[in-house]
Amino acid sequence: MEGNQKPQRPWLNLRTQLFVFLSLFCAADLFRQHETFQTNAPQVFFTSSYHDQSSQHLAAINDSICGILDNQSPTALWANHIETILRASQSPIDTNYVLKDPTAQVLKIITPRLHNGLKSNPRDWQTLQNVVETTNRRLAYLKAKREGHAMEEARPLKILVMGGSVTKGVGCKTSIKNYNGIDCCWATRLETLLNGLVGDRVVDVHLAAVSATNSATGQVMLEYNLIPEEMRGPDIIISAYSTNDMHVFTIKEAMSQNISLREKIFGMAQNFTRTALQQCTEEGNTPLLFWLDDYLGNEQYEVLGTSEFIQGLQVLAGYYGFGLLSYADMVRDLVYGTTTERSFSPAGWYNKSPEMKKEIHSPYPMHIAVAYLFAYTFLELASAYCGLESWNVTTWENKENYYNAAVPGLPDTRESSQTLDTPPQPRPIGLPPPLDSHLKLDDISKLWREASSTTCDADRANRVRCPVGWISGFRPDHTTDDVMNYFQPYIQEPFEWEWRMQNKKAGWLPKAVTGATMTFEFPLEQEIHRLVLFYMKSYGELWENSKAEIEIYLDEDNVDDHIIQLSLSGVHDKRASEIYSEEILLPRGASKKLGITVKHTAGNIFKLMGFAICS
């Protein structure tokens, strides 16, 4: 358990424990059989009040998910072993389990509603099987380790969570000292819960959340491998950009661009989905994709308007076959019934004022609830997979005559004179064509089958796409010195900008009011064809007329002969600060060096949040 040291948790008897899930699908090692559960509650790294000194720690006798589940109903397993779930929910930082009772209250409220949160199941059985097999290998390794047998180490399941400030835990505050947003957020809680139920490190949840970003920025991060190296190659990708996607436009901006909010959200979500489904796991498989809808308002006060995100995502989920979860639908009636409640809706809606104010950040009960929603969803999917395990679905689903596959309990139809009239063929490999208003029903089959494969390309994934790349906010542990040390070899004098924190978001800012310039020159070891810029847009007097001019030089370009010049605006008509991305396709490649000069040309401020130089 290198890195983040976490308390060891004794293993429960896998055969007699029943649920638990899975470390992501897997779950685990978890619950004892119903008749023994009450008298032998498992110890899951708790304080002395939870520790049963007399309890025996039995060796696990099962090392597969389906063996653990043993055809039990997911709902029954969850409800019958609610105490174990509560215990496994304890944060390592909450050493005295101060939040035990509030967590229990959330668990009581959320449990009957969990089924309302799963809107769409993933469709691809092969991808689900890959996740199950990865978890089973880890479980088998941990069992062998406990029993003292030599076995090659199997890695934990890797989950990548992407989102903005809500996902990062902004607003997730408790009375516990040193319990910051990342410790409090649902992604961290999910890892704690899954590994706590299993009793060991079976899953790693990586949080790649950057405040003020939406799925358009997230898509660029995935496309160019701009996330930290240890987060790459995930088995599961969770997109939690719904809140920021919902305020990508104001009504005024949408009208000015002749596009509706729904169309904008739909396009951003589809681009992210297609990019995510072309990523590769460490073994070269396609990852499992989930989207989370956590948006309850109130960027738009119109109740119908708040549903724009989930409506578009439901269409995309059915088309691409990814998993869709909705925290919003799970608690919507509670929030709408009492909009002044402060547990599941943003507390800032009515903060010291009788009038509702704009606020998107939810309190800690929301994060507890979302962790439970994902855990329960993983249990549901594992149960569905195990229920069809004897069918060997993945071995025949893509065969041409799969409708005649041998299935236990059903007749052999291969020689039957009565058969389906023109049965369907397996779906084509790769992604279907992009879904837009131009795609016609009479063209879609031809377009899909003629398209080049868009599945995971392991060779492409392993290449260094962006030899230089930096985005503010990914690594909160990075200091100003870290940033300056990274960029120092590329800085050209005079350099009149500085990296500093401004309104809790660090970036490159000009030292002078206007006219300040900064220049970077990057030596290249591979040919470059793209430049991606990340910059802040904000509002108010400080940001009025904010502009910067970018000049790009390739190889031996003279200073007076730059190949590209563009202007970026740092202000928008929204009361929010957001990170925008600008992708620049170079008219010709550069193989020796690339230069960038940024000049602050108008307004009081401009903030460059990062950039990437990519092939």
Side-chain angles (χ1 to χ4, degrees):
M1 303 261 294
E2 304 79 24
N4 295 330
Q5 294 293 326
K6 299 181 180 179
Q8 296 291 323
R9 301 153 195 153
W11 282 76
L12 314 177
N13 183 305
L14 282 179
R15 181 178 182 74
T16 57
Q17 325 166 140
L18 287 177
F19 167 70
V20 165
F21 18 57
L22 355 308
S23 222
L24 214 135
F25 279 137
C26 211
D29 221 333
L30 309 12
F31 296 135
R32 299 184 188 278
Q33 283 184 345
H34 188 62
E35 63 270 19
T36 63
F37 176 81
Q38 298 298 330
T39 57
N40 295 300
Q43 174 203 3
V44 193
F45 93 73
F46 290 122
T47 59
S48 57
S49 62
Y50 276 92
H51 182 58
D52 180 4
Q53 298 288 349
S54 64
S55 65
Q56 278 189 312
H57 303 150
L58 303 177
I61 60 174
N62 223 324
D63 56 7
S64 74
I65 297 173
C66 298
I68 295 168
L69 295 177
D70 195 24
N71 296 320
Q72 301 296 305
S73 159
T75 304
L77 286 170
W78 184 280
N80 290 338
H81 302 293
I82 204 76
E83 183 181 357
T84 302
I85 298 171
L86 177 61
R87 292 182 176 187
S89 303
Q90 181 182 359
S91 167
I93 296 176
D94 188 2
T95 54
N96 295 319
Y97 212 171
V98 173
L99 296 182
K100 176 191 170 188
D101 287 349
T103 302
Q105 291 173 325
V106 173
L107 197 49
K108 290 177 188 177
I109 295 171
I110 291 300
T111 292
R113 298 167 168 273
L114 289 169
H115 67 283
N116 295 328
L118 179 56
K119 315 306 292 186
S120 181
N121 281 316
R123 182 170 56 217
D124 192 334
W125 286 97
Q126 182 61 64
T127 303
L128 180 57
Q129 178 176 293
N130 295 337
V131 170
V132 171
E133 290 179 345
T134 298
T135 308
N136 282 343
R137 287 194 293 269
R138 180 66 175 179
L139 289 172
Y141 162 73
L142 292 172
K143 178 185 176 184
K145 182 179 179 182
R146 289 194 310 277
E147 296 176 349
H149 302 310
M151 183 177 181
E152 182 180 357
E153 182 173 0
R155 66 175 179 83
L157 194 74
K158 183 184 290 188
I159 304 174
L160 174 65
V161 176
M162 302 185 72
S165 58
V166 174
T167 310
K168 197 174 183 178
V170 173
C172 188
K173 300 176 181 178
T174 71
S175 59
I176 302 171
K177 187 178 181 180
N178 299 324
Y179 200 10
N180 62 34
I182 292 178
D183 294 324
C184 184
C185 74
W186 64 261
T188 302
R189 291 178 183 278
L190 180 61
E191 181 182 73
T192 297
L193 175 61
L194 295 177
N195 288 337
L197 289 169
V198 177
D200 211 323
R201 181 186 165 209
V202 177
V203 57
D204 287 340
V205 178
H206 296 281
L207 181 60
V210 179
S211 296
T213 58
N214 55 33
S215 57
T217 310
Q219 184 267 330
V220 173
M221 294 175 187
L222 277 182
E223 173 68 23
Y224 294 109
N225 272 341
L226 299 180
I227 59 177
E229 186 173 356
E230 66 272 16
M231 301 183 184
R232 299 172 190 170
D235 301 288
I236 296 175
I237 298 174
I238 299 175
S239 171
Y241 287 110
S242 64
T243 296
N244 282 5
D245 282 0
M246 278 297 294
H247 61 239
V248 65
F249 266 170
T250 62
I251 300 299
K252 181 178 179 181
E253 286 176 317
M255 292 176 63
S256 69
Q257 296 190 26
N258 196 29
I259 184 173
S260 69
L261 176 62
R262 180 184 296 185
E263 290 171 327
K264 181 66 173 180
I265 293 171
F266 189 92
M268 291 165 54
Q270 178 164 224
N271 289 339
F272 182 95
T273 294
R274 294 183 69 86
T275 299
L277 292 176
Q278 294 179 69
Q279 300 302 299
C280 297
T281 69
E282 292 186 18
E283 291 75 25
N285 300 315
T286 300
L288 201 60
L289 174 63
F290 290 90
W291 275 84
L292 171 68
D293 169 29
D294 60 9
Y295 183 71
L296 283 164
N298 56 354
E299 182 64 26
Q300 301 80 19
Y301 283 110
E302 297 77 14
V303 173
L304 185 60
T306 66
S307 67
E308 297 282 7
F309 179 84
I310 191 65
Q311 290 181 47
L313 261 291
Q314 285 177 318
V315 173
L316 289 173
Y319 188 71
Y320 288 101
F322 57 76
L324 175 59
L325 284 68
S326 178
Y327 161 78
D329 280 354
M330 193 167 62
V331 300
R332 195 180 300 278
D333 60 327
L334 298 177
V335 173
Y336 288 177
T338 312
T339 57
T340 54
E341 66 86 35
R342 296 190 176 189
S343 295
F344 299 109
S345 59
W349 280 2
Y350 293 100
N351 187 20
K352 300 178 182 180
S353 172
E355 295 183 2
M356 179 179 279
K357 295 185 177 180
K358 291 288 181 70
E359 180 56 65
I360 61 173
H361 301 106
S362 298
Y364 75 87
M366 170 269 189
H367 290 271
I368 296 174
V370 172
Y372 288 149
L373 175 58
F374 270 104
Y376 182 80
T377 297
F378 297 154
L379 176 64
E380 284 273 11
L381 294 179
S383 178
Y385 173 85
C386 294
L388 288 176
E389 187 179 33
S390 63
W391 282 41
N392 295 316
V393 175
T394 55
T395 65
W396 54 261
E397 192 179 37
N398 291 318
K399 291 183 178 178
E400 192 141 331
N401 62 342
Y402 69 100
Y403 47 88
N404 282 325
V407 171
L410 293 179
D412 186 344
T413 60
R414 287 173 293 181
E415 305 299 329
S416 175
S417 60
Q418 299 294 322
T419 186
L420 294 172
D421 182 19
T422 316
Q425 302 300 305
R427 67 176 181 267
I429 297 174
L431 299 179
L435 184 58
D436 57 33
S437 60
H438 303 292
L439 184 62
K440 304 298 182 183
L441 188 60
D442 52 354
D443 294 332
I444 188 170
S445 297
K446 179 175 182 292
L447 291 173
W448 194 351
R449 295 186 182 279
E450 290 180 350
S452 58
S453 175
T454 50
T455 55
C456 163
D457 182 347
D459 291 336
R460 176 177 178 270
N462 292 328
R463 292 197 300 268
V464 178
R465 296 212 61 196
C466 304
V468 176
W470 185 281
I471 303 175
S472 173
F474 254 140
R475 301 297 295 263
D477 55 324
H478 280 169
T479 65
T480 298
D481 287 342
D482 293 328
V483 178
M484 293 306 299
N485 289 337
Y486 179 85
F487 283 106
Q488 190 59 51
Y490 314 120
I491 289 176
Q492 304 294 306
E493 297 295 342
F495 198 83
E496 301 168 324
W497 291 49
E498 60 183 346
W499 181 272
R500 72 171 188 266
M501 187 70 67
Q502 190 263 342
N503 285 344
K504 299 182 180 181
K505 295 180 179 69
W508 291 106
L509 293 106
K511 296 179 182 178
V513 175
T514 56
T517 63
M518 65 174 172
T519 300
F520 300 95
E521 188 173 289
F522 299 97
L524 303 176
E525 296 182 358
Q526 67 188 64
E527 191 162 272
I528 296 300
H529 292 273
R530 291 171 173 82
L531 174 65
V532 185
L533 301 173
F534 299 91
Y535 63 104
M536 179 69 72
K537 283 193 175 187
S538 194
Y539 63 98
E541 185 177 349
L542 179 63
W543 290 84
E544 187 175 350
N545 297 322
S546 171
K547 287 184 181 179
E549 187 177 273
I550 315 295
E551 296 178 348
I552 303 168
Y553 306 84
L554 306 180
D555 291 338
E556 304 304 325
D557 288 339
N558 296 318
V559 173
D560 296 327
D561 186 31
H562 49 264
I563 192 169
I564 291 178
Q565 182 177 34
L566 69 153
S567 180
L568 300 177
S569 172
V571 64
H572 59 186
D573 187 26
K574 286 185 287 185
R575 297 190 64 79
S577 297
E578 297 176 3
I579 297 177
Y580 286 66
S581 60
E582 182 79 16
E583 185 176 0
I584 304 162
L585 301 180
L586 305 179
R588 58 181 171 83
S591 58
K592 298 179 181 178
K593 67 179 180 181
L594 184 145
I596 304 173
T597 295
V598 183
K599 183 177 182 180
H600 180 212
T601 55
N604 295 312
I605 192 173
F606 189 91
K607 187 187 293 188
L608 187 67
M609 306 297 291
F611 50 83
I613 299 172
C614 307
S615 59

